[in-house]
Amino acid sequence: MLRTVKYILVLSAVLAAVAAASAAWVGAQVGDANFLAIVVAAAVVWICFSAALLVAFFASCSSDNPLASTLGPMAAVHGMLIGVLLRTGLPLIAAVLLSRNEQLASAGVFGLIVVHYLAALVVETPMSLRLIARPTDSQAARLPTGT
C-alpha cells in the first residue's frame, strides 16, 4: 500500500506541474479569470487516476495487499479493466458535463482536462503496470496460500 501512496503522490506532483504550466499559459493568453477551470481539470484527472491506481493495487497479488489470498487468477485482468474504465470513462463524462457550464466552457475546461489526462496517462501507466505485475518466485513464496 505504501508504494501505491507513493505513486499517487508522484501523480499529484506531475498534475501540479502541468497545472502550473497551464496557469502560466492561460494567464499570459487569457487572463486570471480562468484559473478555476485549471483547478477543476487537474482535480478531475487526479481523482480518476488515483482511483485507478487504488484498483490496480487491490487487484494485485502483492504481499502487502490484504486481499491477496482471496483473489482469483483473473483479478489482475479485472483490475486493469476497471482501471481503464476509471481513467478513460470518468474524465470523458466529467469533461462533457463540465462543458455545459458556460464559464468553464469558455475557459476551455474540456481541453484542459485532455492536457492533464495525457500527462497523467504517461506517468500512471507504468506505475499501474508495476502494481499489477505478477510476483517473482521469491515474492510468490511470501504470499499467503489461502489454505
Side-chain angles (χ1 to χ4, degrees):
M1 183 69 171
L2 187 60
R3 184 167 48 160
T4 307
V5 172
K6 181 179 87 170
Y7 288 166
I8 291 173
L9 290 175
V10 169
L11 180 67
S12 302
V14 168
L15 287 174
V18 171
S22 298
W25 181 77
V26 167
Q29 299 291 324
V30 186
D32 297 336
N34 298 323
F35 290 123
L36 176 64
I38 296 169
V39 172
V40 168
V44 164
V45 172
W46 182 83
I47 289 168
C48 297
F49 277 77
S50 296
L53 281 171
L54 287 172
V55 167
F57 167 73
F58 284 114
S60 71
C61 294
S62 171
S63 60
D64 58 345
N65 181 356
L67 302 174
S69 63
T70 61
L71 297 175
M74 294 298 289
V77 174
H78 295 147
M80 289 305 286
L81 290 175
I82 293 170
V84 167
L85 176 67
L86 290 172
R87 92 175 56 87
T88 57
L90 292 182
L92 180 62
I93 291 168
V96 169
L97 292 177
L98 290 171
S99 292
R100 291 182 177 181
N101 182 315
E102 200 171 304
Q103 180 185 4
L104 290 175
S106 65
V109 73
F110 194 94
L112 288 168
I113 288 176
V114 170
V115 167
H116 286 81
Y117 174 85
L118 292 174
L121 187 65
V122 168
V123 173
E124 191 265 351
T125 300
M127 292 190 291
S128 65
L129 289 175
R130 281 190 208 114
L131 284 174
I132 210 84
R134 195 164 191 62
T136 62
D137 290 336
S138 63
Q139 292 170 331
R142 291 180 285 175
L143 286 176
T145 59
T147 57

